[in-house]
Amino acid sequence: MATPGQPPADLIPSLLTASDVLGTGWFAAVAAEAGPGKIVAIVGDGAVGLLGVLAARQLGAERIIAMSRHDARQKLALEFGATDIVEERGDEGVVRIKELTNGLGAHSVIDAVGTQQSMMQAIRATRPGGHVGG
């Protein structure tokens, strides 16, 4: 997206960073088919994960579960629209997601980390017929 003019030099690094994480978080939410009536879980609480929370909210998700162990990021996730925070990871994180979704898992899961372990966690936290984006 073009800016209306040349931005100040000190703002350019922030615009580049925003354009990277915003596009990545949005794409992951769309790929996971986040939308109205859906439960969306986000694995990862960095910039991409937090933008995944914002994207899921913008796309109309009914419930947004942010997986986070960091206090400041948990607060941001809640401010951005997360309805639940899950601190557990791996198998324990999957169990917690299933507990929050009546044993089914989330409709849409975003892997905002990008490792094999996080992708496996995302897949296992997804209900049958659900979607994973990352």
Side-chain angles (χ1 to χ4, degrees):
M1 173 183 240
T3 58
Q6 179 69 30
D10 63 333
L11 188 58
I12 291 174
S14 296
L15 292 173
L16 292 173
T17 302
S19 67
D20 175 38
V21 298
L22 178 60
T24 305
W26 182 267
F27 173 81
V30 169
E33 298 196 13
K38 301 271 183 87
I39 298 170
V40 180
I42 297 100
V43 178
D45 64 357
V48 173
L50 291 170
L51 266 291
V53 172
L54 282 170
R57 184 184 77 188
Q58 187 68 26
L59 291 166
E62 178 179 310
R63 191 169 181 192
I64 302 169
I65 304 167
M67 303 190 84
S68 173
R69 293 181 175 178
H70 304 95
D71 225 17
R73 294 177 187 181
Q74 290 175 2
K75 289 176 185 167
L76 280 173
L78 292 168
E79 184 179 323
F80 291 172
T83 55
D84 303 272
I85 301 291
V86 169
E87 294 188 359
E88 296 85 356
R89 288 286 182 265
D91 292 338
E92 294 82 18
V94 171
V95 167
R96 186 72 186 115
I97 295 288
K98 300 260 179 149
E99 288 173 353
L100 289 170
T101 58
N102 297 318
L104 297 173
H107 297 98
S108 306
V109 182
I110 297 170
D111 174 12
V113 178
T115 65
Q116 182 175 356
Q117 180 181 359
S118 64
M119 181 55 81
M120 293 310 299
Q121 181 177 329
I123 291 168
R124 291 192 326 265
T126 306
R127 67 177 56 203
H131 298 88
V132 175

